[in-house]
Amino acid sequence: SVGIALVQTRQNLQSRALVPIDYLSGITYYKGAYSLKLDLCRPKSLYPAKAPGVILIHGGGWVGGERTRLTKLCQSLAGVGY
């Protein structure tokens, strides 16, 4: 299942050497009837240079779920250079 895959991925990433990261939470990227927000995790050592990126999208069909459920995975990916 997806949940098991996320846990295994997170454990694999956490076993690698981590670099310092910037974590910016609640950045508004759209204002309309609802404000849409995102969190940004990036390795400090690579910014502002170009680096590979990963976009994490939570499920919920615009009626449920929270972006904060992916915070640890976001931070782990940034910690290994994404």
Side-chain angles (χ1 to χ4, degrees):
S1 86
V2 173
I4 293 171
L6 284 175
V7 170
Q8 290 171 341
T9 300
R10 188 178 307 135
Q11 289 170 346
N12 290 339
L13 289 171
Q14 289 173 343
S15 68
R16 296 183 184 182
L18 300 180
V19 299
I21 67 166
D22 286 324
Y23 173 62
L24 306 168
S25 179
I27 300 168
T28 301
Y29 69 92
Y30 175 79
K31 287 186 179 182
Y34 299 94
S35 290
L36 302 180
K37 299 178 185 273
L38 62 85
D39 296 341
L40 175 66
C41 302
R42 63 184 176 204
K44 285 184 180 186
S45 61
L46 296 177
Y47 182 76
K50 293 180 181 179
V54 176
I55 297 174
L56 302 173
I57 301 172
H58 71 80
W62 302 103
V63 295
E66 296 182 23
R67 71 179 191 281
T68 55
R69 293 190 67 202
L70 298 172
T71 299
K72 296 287 185 189
L73 180 57
C74 178
Q75 293 171 334
S76 296
L77 287 166
V80 295
Y82 288 95

